[in-house]
Amino acid sequence: MSLTPVVVRLKLSLLRGGLRRSPGRSAAYAASAAAGLLFGVLTLLGLTALRGHAHADAVAVLLTAVLGLGWAVMPLFFPGGDETLDATRLVLLPLRPRPLVRALLVSSLVGIGPLFTVLLLAGAVVSVAHGAAAYAVSVPAVVMALLVCVSLARAVATANTRLLTSRRGRDLAVLSGLVIAIGVQLVNFGMQRLGSAGLGQLDPAAEVLRWVPPAAAVGAVHAVSDGAYGAAAAQLAVTAAATAALPALWARGLTRLMTAPDGSTLRPDDPAARDRGPAARLGGLLPAGRTGAVMHRSLRYVWRDPKTRAAWVASLAIGLIVPVFNALQGTGSVYFACFAAGMLGVQMFNQFGQDGSAFWMVAVTVASPRDAYLELRGRALALLAVTLPYTASVAVVTTALLGAWGRLAEVLGLSFALLGALLAGGAWMSARFPYSIPQEGHKNVAPGQAGLAWIAIVGGMVSAALLCAPLLAVSVWLHLAAGGEAWTWLLLPAGAAYGSGVALLGLRMAAPRTAARLPEILAAVSRG
C-alpha cells in the first residue's frame, strides 16, 4: 500500500480533529481561510492589472521572492500551525525517509497556504506572460515554484524540529510578533519610498532575485515573453535543480533526525551541556560581591527567560526603528534618538515581577536597606551595561543620518538624563507597585493586577518627565537665548551628572521601602 494517501488522510484527520475541539477554533479557521482566499484573489487581480506595465516583472519577481522567504521562516515562528511538521512523532514507525518525504510533500499541498501560493504565483506569471510560449512555460513554472516553497518550508522545519519543540523554540515563537511588527514597518517604509520614487526602484533587486528560486520560475516566464530563450532555460534549470535538491536535503535531515540522538541524554557534567550563552561568558568581567552576582543574574534572565528576552528585543528594535526610520523618511528629528533611552529605561520597572515566584530566594538575602540598595544597584548596572552603549550608538546613527552633528552632545546629555530619571522612577515603582508576570501565554500582567501595572508604568513615566524638566528647561533656554546654541555641548556633562545623581538618589530612596515591603512584594509577584 502506498504511503502517500495514508499521510494525506492523516493530515485531513488531524485537521478535522483540531476543528472539532471547539466552535471557536472552527470559526477562527473558517475566518482565516476566507481572509486568505480573499487576499489571494485580490493579489491575483492586482497582479493581473499590472499586465503590460513597464515594471510588472520586477513586482512579480519580488513578490515571489518574498513568498518563498515567508515559506522558509513561518515554520520557525508558528510550528503549532501544522502538527505534521514535527517529524519526531514518526520516529518509531518503520518508514524509509524517501517515501516519507514524498508523502509529506503531497500532504503539505493540502491547506490554505498552498492555495494562497497558487493564486499569487498565477497572478505573477499572468502579469509577465505574453504569447503562447510564455503561457506554456507558465504551467511547469508555477508547479516548480510551488514545490520549491513547500519543500523549503519542510526542509527548514525538519532541520529545526528539536529547536522548535524545545524551550528556545518557544522563545522564538514569543518573538514572532516582534518580527512581524518590524516587517510591517519595513513594508510601510518601502511603500512610502515606492510611492515617492516609483516602481523603477525595484528593478536592481529584481535583476538579482530573478535568478533565485522560486522567483527564477517567474523570471523564466518573463524571459520567454521577451524572446530570451537561453535565459529562460537557465532560470528553469535553476528552479528545477532547487525542486530536486530541496527534497533531497529534506530527506537527509529527516534521516539524521530519526536516527541521531538528541541532547536530552547528556549528563549535567558534560561540557556540551553547560551554558555557553553571552551572559555566562560575562561572569569574569563583572565586579565582585553582591553587585556582580546581581548583574550576572539579571543578564542571565535577559538571555534565558522568554518574556524578559522578548521585552528587551522589542525595546531594542523599536528604540532604533523610530528615530532611524523617521530620519530616512525626512520627517525625523535628532531628538527622536532619546526614544532609545526611553524604551530601555522602562525595563527598570517591575524589577521583582520578572523574578516571579523565584523572588523568595532574593528576599531571604535582604536583611537591611543596605542589602536592598545593593540588589537594586546591581539590577540598574546590568541595565546600564546594555543601555549606555546602545543609547550612544542610536544617537550617533540618528545625527549622522540627519547631518546634525552639532546637536550630538545635547542629545546624548538629554538621553542620559532621561535614562537616570527612568532608573530612579523604576526602582521606586518596583518597590511600591509590584505585579506578577505570567510565564505562560502572551499576557504580561496576572489577572487582577492590571491596575497596579498601569499605575506603575504611568506613574514612573510622569515622575521621569518631572525629573527631566530642569534639564529640558535649560535646553530650551539655550536655544532661545542669543548665542546660547554655542553652549549646548555643556548639556552632555550636565546630563550625565544629573542622570547619575537622580538614579543614585532614586535607588537610595527605594531601598528602605523595598526592605520594609518584602512580604508584600513576594506575595504580589508570586501570583499567577
Side-chain angles (χ1 to χ4, degrees):
M1 181 178 180
S2 176
L3 181 62
T4 300
V6 175
V7 175
V8 172
R9 288 198 300 269
L10 173 63
K11 174 73 174 285
L12 295 175
S13 298
L14 288 172
L15 181 59
R16 286 195 301 268
L19 295 179
R20 288 173 180 173
R21 291 181 183 178
S22 66
R25 186 166 182 173
S26 301
Y29 183 83
S32 62
L37 182 61
L38 177 61
F39 188 65
V41 171
L42 292 177
T43 305
L44 171 62
L45 295 176
L47 288 171
T48 304
L50 282 177
R51 180 180 170 82
H53 193 278
H55 303 289
D57 61 311
V59 174
V61 167
L62 284 174
L63 280 180
T64 307
V66 171
L67 179 68
L69 179 63
W71 272 95
V73 301
M74 283 301 104
L76 298 178
F77 292 136
F78 304 104
D82 186 354
E83 297 183 40
T84 61
L85 285 175
D86 187 2
T88 57
R89 302 186 181 191
L90 308 174
V91 169
L92 298 180
L93 300 179
L95 303 174
R96 293 185 178 274
R98 294 202 175 275
L100 182 58
V101 164
R102 287 194 298 268
L104 290 175
L105 181 60
V106 174
S107 70
S108 299
L109 299 177
V110 178
I112 303 172
L115 177 59
F116 171 79
T117 302
V118 170
L119 292 174
L120 192 148
L121 291 174
V125 297
V126 168
S127 67
V128 299
H130 300 280
Y135 279 109
V137 172
S138 297
V139 176
V142 169
V143 172
M144 287 192 293
L146 176 62
L147 293 177
V148 166
C149 290
V150 176
S151 301
L152 179 60
R154 283 290 183 172
V156 171
T158 300
N160 295 277
T161 292
R162 284 172 178 158
L163 168 67
L164 297 177
T165 55
S166 66
R167 180 184 59 81
R168 293 198 179 277
R170 294 190 292 271
D171 295 357
L172 199 63
V174 171
L175 298 177
S176 61
L178 172 64
V179 174
I180 294 173
I182 295 175
V184 169
Q185 292 294 330
L186 292 174
V187 170
N188 179 50
F189 176 66
M191 295 299 292
Q192 290 183 2
R193 292 292 298 270
L194 290 177
S196 60
L199 295 176
Q201 288 198 354
L202 299 178
D203 290 340
E207 288 298 324
V208 176
L209 292 175
R210 69 176 69 250
W211 293 95
V212 179
V218 178
V221 176
H222 179 256
V224 171
S225 299
D226 288 346
Y229 298 109
Q235 289 167 327
L236 284 176
V238 170
T239 308
T243 306
L246 285 172
L249 291 175
W250 177 13
R252 185 176 179 181
L254 196 61
T255 302
R256 185 184 307 111
L257 177 69
M258 300 176 74
T259 58
D262 59 20
S264 61
T265 57
L266 292 175
R267 300 192 313 272
D269 58 344
D270 194 308
R274 295 174 186 169
D275 187 2
R276 299 292 182 183
R281 294 193 291 267
L282 282 175
L285 303 177
L286 300 177
R290 177 167 188 144
T291 298
V294 173
M295 292 180 65
H296 197 182
R297 186 207 322 135
S298 298
L299 294 173
R300 192 179 289 270
Y301 278 168
V302 173
W303 180 250
R304 295 181 61 86
D305 181 65
K307 286 292 183 69
T308 306
R309 182 192 291 189
W312 271 77
V313 173
S315 297
L316 289 169
I318 297 175
L320 178 64
I321 287 174
V322 170
V324 170
F325 273 40
N326 279 279
L328 291 174
Q329 292 173 359
T331 59
S333 168
V334 69
Y335 299 105
F336 281 179
C338 297
F339 204 80
M343 288 301 301
L344 283 183
V346 297
Q347 299 303 317
M348 188 65 186
F349 288 54
N350 195 34
Q351 277 291 308
F352 308 126
Q354 299 173 11
D355 296 359
S357 58
F359 179 69
W360 73 269
M361 292 187 290
V362 176
V364 296
T365 66
V366 177
S368 65
R370 172 67 178 174
D371 294 334
Y373 171 73
L374 294 177
E375 177 72 25
L376 290 171
R377 187 179 69 177
R379 293 173 184 251
L381 290 176
L383 181 67
L384 290 174
V386 178
T387 306
L388 284 178
Y390 174 78
T391 300
S393 300
V394 172
V396 170
V397 170
T398 305
T399 52
L401 291 174
L402 295 174
W405 291 106
R407 295 189 178 182
L408 176 59
E410 177 187 359
V411 170
L412 284 174
L414 293 175
S415 297
F416 293 156
L418 174 61
L419 183 58
L422 287 171
L423 291 179
W428 176 266
M429 292 298 171
S430 294
R432 185 64 184 85
F433 300 105
Y435 56 90
S436 177
I437 301 177
Q439 293 300 309
E440 300 296 333
H442 295 278
K443 293 183 178 180
N444 292 320
V445 182
Q449 293 186 328
L452 285 174
W454 277 107
I455 292 174
I457 295 173
V458 175
M461 290 184 175
V462 171
S463 64
L466 293 176
L467 290 173
C468 288
L471 206 66
L472 288 173
V474 173
S475 175
V476 172
W477 177 75
L478 288 175
H479 282 287
L480 295 178
E485 291 195 8
W487 298 96
T488 54
W489 64 269
L490 290 174
L491 290 173
L492 174 56
Y498 183 80
S500 301
V502 167
L504 287 173
L505 180 62
L507 294 175
R508 291 196 175 276
M509 292 179 63
R513 181 169 290 273
T514 301
R517 300 190 72 249
L518 282 177
E520 292 88 343
I521 295 174
L522 180 59
V525 303
S526 299
R527 291 183 58 182

